[in-house]
Amino acid sequence: MIVAEQKPVEEIIRYLDKFNKIAVAACGTCVTVCMAGGEKEALTLASALRIKRLEQERPLEVKVVTPKRQCDIEFLDDIAHEIGDCEAILSLGCGAGVQFMAEKFKEKPVLPGLNTKFMGVTRDVGIWTEMCQGCGDCILEKTGGVCPVTRCSKSNFNGPCGGSSNGKCEINPGIDCGWQLIYDRLKALGMLENLYEIMPPKDWRSSRDGGPRKVEKKEVVL
Amino acid sequence: MSQELRKDNIDKNETGSVEAKTGTKAASHLQKVLEAGHFSVTAEIGPPMSANADFVRNKARELLGLVDAANITDNQTAVVRMSSIAAAYLVQQEGLEAVVQMTCRDRNRIAIQSDLLGAYALGLKNVLCLSGDHQSFGNHPESKNVYDIDSIQLINALRGMKEEKVFINGKSIKTPPEFFIGATANPFADPEELQFIRFVKKIRAGARFIQTQAIYDVERFARWMEKVRKEGLHEKAFILAGILVNKSLKSIEMTKMVAGMAVPDIFIERMARAASQEEEGVKIALELIDEIRKIEGVKGIHIMAVGWESIVPVIIERAGFLPRPAV
């Protein structure tokens, strides 16, 4: 899923300053799972914003809407009537959601309520970790299902740097060394020979370095 | 140090300096020293955090005639310093051969290849390929890193330039740089097996000299060298053992804390008990050098005296490394 976290209320309240009536748009998918921008978080944030503005004696009218996903146009059509006369939309979607909402509701400012962090997994209750950078050319078959691009701080392709210590990355003892994970996994699978291959430089065109990307599945394109 | 010894060495180095300045195709001085079967001695010069050329020139003069070459670090610990190539050029103008350190942190493959074409054109002939300390350790932790290629891919690229006369993209180079290619190895980093595989890959990729992490645990290093000899790797690349000189108890304690360093407690205790920690630091370094140079397959010593460069000439003289060979 796409993992995000909510911006501080103080930051959000600043850029809502000139509005008196807004819609907070939750998103029912990834950010609901990572507890950043689901309906529950949207309702809580809406209350916090109302209280802050009451303290300033400038009440803010806040309506909460929850499309199933902000990244699919059909779900945005569903909420169009609810947005109605709101002056602005605070999107609790990921960066894609915010931008798609802005495309759909052209006449209104759409503002971000979250900081989008990464593609990851729920590691534990309330803990999410990064697993994929969407580099566009997966090599997990060679590395025991552990991604060196994402999980090595230097995206090394040919083993760990000298900073791997007791299985941890030198930049932060809270981060596992990606190459230790790869090694452990390949060893357990009896596939250590994979590590002897000198992996050539990656073609980064498949990644962000090739410019904004597009995927087309020809057979379903109308 | 005796003035005659130093002068003698400077005279012998004069020929090397001319070659360094003219950028001829001949092998580097360091390569010649090693290939002639001499035990090499190298040290490090950290460029200044400024545009001060005299700082670099003075450091070069201090080492002239005492070492076969000096590594010029590339923004080590991710702190902005004078470019390693520019500083290396200044060093060679003083007649001392440089080993350019090149990290993968700050440059993509376009910049790395371009900078190294320039380095070779300037007469620089040795390159040490490294990943580079992560920028989070340095003085611009807000910066974006690159890591377009890793250090093994960099080694392979330099080998490709030299042997196949091609860039990373496979396109031919009319006048390719023919560097003496170096890499690092850490006999103490874990996981041991994986680190060894990586070391083997560096040699397969084209590394012809290896500078190791600083050695304190000689027994463990000797076991590592045994493995190196068993695989015949000491015949494929020159193994240059790293020695770090500590000035104080605090310095050796900090060294021990660095990831991938193995410092036996006995050295900490010795420093703590010593009447003069500086002298004890020198003694420890000399003892380590003495034991390490006896290990079969070790072809040289690389001295790192971070923050205490002035001790390097003392170590070199007391270790009996003078005069340096003229080749």
Side-chain angles (χ1 to χ4, degrees), chain B residues 185-188 211-217 221 241-246 255 260-263 288 292 302 304:
Chain B
N186 187 346
F188 312 106
Q211 291 178 331
T212 76
Q213 177 60 286
I215 296 155
Y216 289 89
D217 190 339
F221 176 66
I243 287 288
L244 210 149
V245 196
N246 296 105
T255 303
M261 292 289 292
V263 183
L288 290 170
I292 289 166
H302 179 64
M304 296 167 273

Side-chain angles (χ1 to χ4, degrees), chain A residues 27 69-71 76 91 93-103 110:
Chain A
C27 181
R69 284 198 292 279
Q70 292 187 15
C71 55
L76 301 187
S91 164
C94 67
V98 178
Q99 293 181 65
F100 219 34
M101 293 277 282
E103 281 186 28
V110 179

Side-chain angles (χ1 to χ4, degrees), chain B residues 43-62:
Chain B
E44 283 189 0
I45 293 176
M49 288 183 266
S50 74
N52 186 348
D54 288 336
F55 176 95
V56 181
R57 291 200 170 99
N58 289 336
K59 293 270 178 202
R61 282 185 212 123
E62 284 168 22

